[in-house]
């Protein structure tokens, strides 16, 4: 077992244990009102709302492996939510684009997801929600390599 560079406190240890259980539960919680539309699918469709995107850019946006994004896109393409398009100048690049069905799906689903997430966050006081947002932003910056 590798030696830690500094000791981990009890709260940090609890956070390490809690996050992997919270994140999937959060995804299931907000997905509940829209059967068949997972949080991952919503994130892909949100990334494509503004127009076609490189598959590699969507992968990076989701923070998943190439295999994971390929499997996700395969299912979404099968369900006619998006299409793969060749890049006009780069044969090695695949573009993803929402279909009309995909656009209707995200237009319908996103409001439900947002309402459901808002309901969950209302468990916290306004001050606690503001602090949670600040802390998540801080952790996101640190996880991206910033300070």
């Amino acid at each position: 077992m590798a030696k830690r560079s500094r000791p981990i406190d009890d709260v940090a240890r609890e956070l390490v244990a809690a996050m992997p259980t919270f994140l999937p539960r959060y995804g299931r919680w907000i997905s509940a009102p829209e059967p068949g539309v997972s949080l991952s699918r919503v994130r892909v469709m949100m990334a494509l709302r503004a127009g076609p995107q490189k598959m590699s850019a969507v992968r990076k946006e989701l923070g998943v492996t190439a295999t994971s994004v390929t499997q996700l896109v395969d299912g979404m393409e099968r369900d006619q939510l998006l299409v793969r398009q060749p890049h006009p100048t780069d044969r090695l690049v695949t573009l993803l684009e929402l279909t009309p069905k995909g656009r209707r799906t995200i237009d319908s689903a996103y409001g439900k997801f947002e309402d459901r997430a808002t309901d969950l966050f209302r468990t916290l006081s306004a001050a606690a929600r503001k602090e949670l947002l600040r802390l998540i932003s801080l952790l996101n910056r640190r996880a991206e390599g910033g300070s």
Side-chain angles (χ1 to χ4, degrees):
M1 179 184 262
K3 187 173 179 174
R4 289 193 175 96
S5 60
R6 56 183 173 215
I8 186 168
D9 65 60
D10 290 340
V11 174
R13 184 174 282 110
E14 288 181 44
L15 284 167
V16 167
M19 290 306 292
T21 57
F22 173 73
L23 295 175
R25 285 179 182 154
Y26 173 75
R28 286 191 304 273
W29 168 267
I30 65 171
S31 298
E34 194 70 23
V37 184
S38 67
L39 179 58
S40 296
R41 284 183 169 207
V42 166
R43 291 182 65 208
V44 169
M45 289 185 283
M46 288 301 295
L48 301 177
R49 262 182 135 175
Q53 298 289 324
K54 292 179 182 178
M55 193 159 160
S56 59
V58 172
R59 181 199 60 76
K60 186 176 179 185
E61 171 89 14
L62 269 60
V64 298
T65 65
T67 301
S68 294
V69 79
T70 298
Q71 290 172 345
L72 183 59
V73 167
D74 286 348
M76 293 178 73
E77 191 172 39
R78 216 174 12 259
D79 293 342
Q80 300 176 345
L81 297 171
L82 59 74
V83 292
R84 287 178 168 101
Q85 302 282 351
H87 190 279
T89 60
D90 188 342
R91 294 179 349 168
L92 301 177
V93 173
T94 299
L95 297 175
L96 302 176
E97 185 173 10
L98 286 177
T99 62
K101 179 181 178 183
R103 199 161 290 285
R104 285 190 307 275
T105 299
I106 190 58
D107 290 347
S108 166
Y110 187 75
K112 292 175 187 174
F113 273 64
E114 194 173 57
D115 289 347
R116 187 89 166 144
T118 298
D119 183 49
L120 179 64
F121 291 127
R122 282 193 182 121
T123 304
L124 305 172
S125 68
R129 289 192 304 267
K130 189 173 183 178
E131 180 64 2
L132 179 61
L133 179 59
R134 185 188 73 76
L135 293 170
I136 289 172
S137 297
L138 177 70
L139 292 172
N140 273 331
R141 283 193 305 276
R142 174 73 171 141
E144 282 294 318
S147 54

